[in-house]
Amino acid sequence: MKFILMLLLSMFFWAENNFAQKPPLLTLEEAVSIALKNNYNILLAKNNSVISATNVTIGNAGYLPVLSANVSATNSVLNIDQTRSDGTVNKLNNLHNSSNSYGPVINWTLFDGFAMFANYDQLKTLNRLGQVQERDTVQSTLASVITTYYNLVNQNQQIISLKEAIAISRLQLRYASDKYGVGRASKLDVLNAQVNFNTDTANFLVQVQSFKTTKISLNRLLVRTLTTDFSVPDTIRNQDQLVLGDILSKAQTENPAILISQINKRLSEISLRQVRSTRYPVLGVNSGYNFSNSKTPAGFTRTQNTKGLNYGLTASVNIFDGFNQTRRERVAKLQVSGADIQLERVKQQVEAQINSLYIDYLSGLDLIRLEKSNVEIAKQNLDISLEKYRLGNITPLEVREAQRNYLDAQTRFFNNQYQTKLAEVGLKEITGTISLN
């Protein structure tokens, strides 16, 4: 028992000394700033958004002509046996024929059933989708950083509470030892006090380990060395001015899931326009300037060089394609209808999520006020119990019960603060208004 006690004491003082040597304080503002610069998800989302913006050009939509340069060269080696109409035979061997041509060519689609206009709208809408997805990624990442940060603050509060519990257990152990020394207490009281002290020390060490593990999680979100040490405050401040009506109204215009569903509906409508465009004729012009030369030793014309402008007009229209046009249009209309249903479903899901989180938020605020009062009452009860135990008026079990009630009240108070903060951050994430409060 003495060996175990000494071991736990050494581990406790080692952990306490390490915890007491506070590393630099990491504020929430600093954590958010680091995440915005380093987080991989945010960087990838920004990169994808830039790609979507780069694709928004009239050339990509099909407005502009296509200019190309064509070059071709053909050669042949022939053996020819000719029998002419007068009966003479002409034999020619190893005849080298060659033909070369080159020049610029331009093709321009003037009308494609309004498809190019739909294509341009599609590119702009995809760019808007990329922006919303980037914002959604930023908001969700910041929410993860903030909740992880407040998780550390909550655990820091628990560690401080457990250190206080150890101090009380040490005091109770000293009282029991002093009483045992003068014959006013039994050895059993001393042993029980030692067990209580050992239990509180073990709980403290477990909490410190959990705190260090959560630090690694936050460092990973901030994309920095996972072993980077830092400290956090020991206070969580909850905002108590959120209004349900304002949150619901804000979500209709700012919620990323709703915005993405609206954009997807818009894309399905554009897809229908693109399908319908194939009912119309396609008109285009083409032109080019061609240079060519050829050598044919066996022909009537041995060599020929030409150059000149060529131009033309093309037109095509779909007359019958096995009713596929009708089928594609029907499918595109169904996709528009499906997108509209999906939008309404997302709106309902978001509203349900907001109402659920708001209930948690209001309940949390009420519990915080209640548990704060309970902590004060439990502390008074513990102080009185310790004094009575010192005077020998109550048993060690009664002191331990008062100590446990105080620790439980603190734990509930800290957890309610943290859970209420989670609901608060969740409501702000849904409305796309994550802040640092």
Side-chain angles (χ1 to χ4, degrees):
M1 178 63 71
K2 291 183 178 179
F3 173 75
I4 295 175
L5 178 60
M6 293 301 296
L7 178 62
L8 285 173
L9 281 172
S10 62
M11 292 176 65
F12 166 71
F13 286 119
W14 174 81
E16 188 179 35
N17 288 335
N18 283 345
F19 201 79
Q21 298 173 0
K22 286 192 175 183
L25 176 68
L26 176 68
T27 66
L28 182 57
E29 291 79 4
E30 291 172 341
V32 168
S33 177
I34 294 171
L36 287 173
K37 291 187 293 185
N38 295 346
N39 185 267
Y40 292 130
N41 291 334
I42 292 178
L43 294 178
L44 287 173
K46 289 181 177 180
N47 187 68
N48 292 335
S49 181
V50 172
I51 291 174
S52 299
T54 304
N55 283 331
V56 183
T57 64
I58 58 176
N60 195 21
Y63 280 77
L64 301 179
V66 177
L67 178 64
S68 60
N70 295 336
V71 177
S72 65
T74 58
N75 295 275
S76 63
V77 179
L78 304 176
N79 295 322
I80 300 177
D81 290 336
Q82 293 178 332
T83 301
R84 297 173 178 168
S85 58
D86 59 1
T88 60
V89 176
N90 184 28
K91 291 186 178 182
L92 300 172
N93 297 322
N94 297 321
L95 295 179
H96 292 266
N97 297 332
S98 64
S99 176
N100 302 297
S101 65
Y102 55 93
V105 176
I106 186 171
N107 292 284
W108 194 356
T109 300
L110 300 178
F111 179 76
D112 60 356
F114 307 104
M116 64 180 68
F117 301 100
N119 293 340
Y120 193 55
D121 286 344
Q122 183 184 53
L123 293 173
K124 291 188 291 185
T125 305
L126 288 173
N127 180 36
R128 171 63 178 155
L129 178 62
Q131 293 173 347
V132 173
Q133 289 175 334
E134 177 190 354
R135 181 183 169 192
D136 184 29
T137 300
V138 171
Q139 288 286 301
S140 62
T141 301
L142 292 185
S144 297
V145 170
I146 292 173
T147 54
T148 304
Y149 185 89
Y150 280 118
N151 186 12
L152 283 171
V153 175
N154 177 44
Q155 292 189 45
N156 189 24
Q157 291 174 322
Q158 303 286 358
I159 288 173
I160 294 174
S161 177
L162 288 170
K163 288 173 68 176
E164 185 179 2
I166 292 174
I168 295 171
S169 295
R170 187 188 296 117
L171 180 62
Q172 186 180 353
L173 176 59
R174 193 188 76 188
Y175 286 165
S177 299
D178 291 345
K179 289 181 179 181
Y180 177 72
V182 296
R184 293 178 56 196
S186 67
K187 182 66 174 179
L188 181 61
D189 291 342
V190 177
L191 294 176
N192 285 332
Q194 287 181 343
V195 169
N196 292 337
F197 177 78
N198 296 347
T199 301
D200 292 339
T201 303
N203 291 336
F204 171 80
L205 294 174
V206 170
Q207 188 62 64
V208 169
Q209 181 61 34
S210 177
F211 183 78
K212 292 180 178 180
T213 302
T214 308
K215 274 187 176 182
I216 294 175
S217 298
L218 183 58
N219 282 328
R220 180 184 61 82
L221 287 171
L222 303 185
V223 190
R224 60 182 190 172
T225 304
L226 298 180
T227 55
T228 300
D229 200 9
F230 59 91
S231 62
V232 295
D234 56 5
T235 304
I236 296 179
R237 292 184 175 86
N238 297 98
Q239 184 177 346
D240 58 357
Q241 298 177 344
L242 298 182
V243 180
L244 179 60
D246 295 342
I247 296 172
L248 290 171
S249 176
K250 191 76 171 177
Q252 295 300 315
T253 57
E254 300 296 336
N255 178 260
I258 292 178
L259 293 177
I260 289 174
S261 295
Q262 291 173 339
I263 293 173
N264 286 333
K265 180 184 177 183
R266 173 63 177 161
L267 287 172
S268 64
E269 293 170 346
I270 293 173
S271 179
L272 177 59
R273 289 169 53 195
Q274 291 172 323
V275 171
R276 283 175 173 170
S277 69
T278 57
R279 284 189 177 274
Y280 297 90
V282 177
L283 302 177
V285 295
N286 58 77
S287 181
Y289 199 89
N290 189 62
F291 300 86
S292 67
N293 60 76
S294 60
K295 295 179 181 180
T296 311
F300 291 102
T301 302
R302 297 296 182 89
T303 63
Q304 178 175 300
N305 296 313
T306 62
K307 60 182 178 179
L309 178 69
N310 60 78
Y311 53 90
L313 175 69
T314 61
S316 65
V317 63
N318 177 27
I319 297 176
F320 178 74
D321 64 351
F323 304 108
N324 283 317
Q325 177 65 31
T326 303
R327 175 187 58 78
R328 287 193 295 267
E329 290 185 15
R330 187 184 303 118
V331 170
K333 290 178 182 178
L334 290 172
Q335 289 173 338
V336 172
S337 177
D340 189 57
I341 295 173
Q342 174 67 11
L343 174 59
E344 295 304 317
R345 183 176 73 169
V346 169
K347 286 182 177 179
Q348 185 188 52
Q349 290 174 340
V350 169
E351 185 175 350
Q353 189 177 7
I354 289 174
N355 279 278
S356 178
L357 284 172
Y358 196 74
I359 291 174
D360 294 341
Y361 169 72
L362 291 181
S363 299
L365 292 177
D366 291 337
L367 287 171
I368 287 172
R369 287 187 285 268
L370 176 61
E371 294 300 343
K372 184 178 181 180
S373 175
N374 284 341
V375 169
E376 294 172 354
I377 294 173
K379 183 64 168 65
Q380 293 176 10
N381 182 53
L382 176 61
D383 292 340
I384 295 172
S385 298
L386 284 172
E387 180 62 19
K388 285 186 175 182
Y389 177 71
R390 187 182 68 83
L391 298 175
N393 295 331
I394 61 175
T395 65
L397 290 178
E398 291 176 297
V399 177
R400 184 62 176 175
E401 183 65 22
Q403 181 186 10
R404 184 179 296 109
N405 288 337
Y406 176 55
L407 181 60
D408 290 345
Q410 284 185 310
T411 300
R412 290 194 303 271
F413 175 65
F414 297 146
N415 284 337
N416 284 324
Q417 282 187 317
Y418 175 57
Q419 293 300 325
T420 304
K421 177 59 72 172
L422 291 185
E424 178 188 320
V425 173
L427 288 171
K428 292 180 178 181
E429 182 183 2
I430 288 176
T431 56
T433 56
I434 287 288
S435 66
L436 303 182
N437 295 327

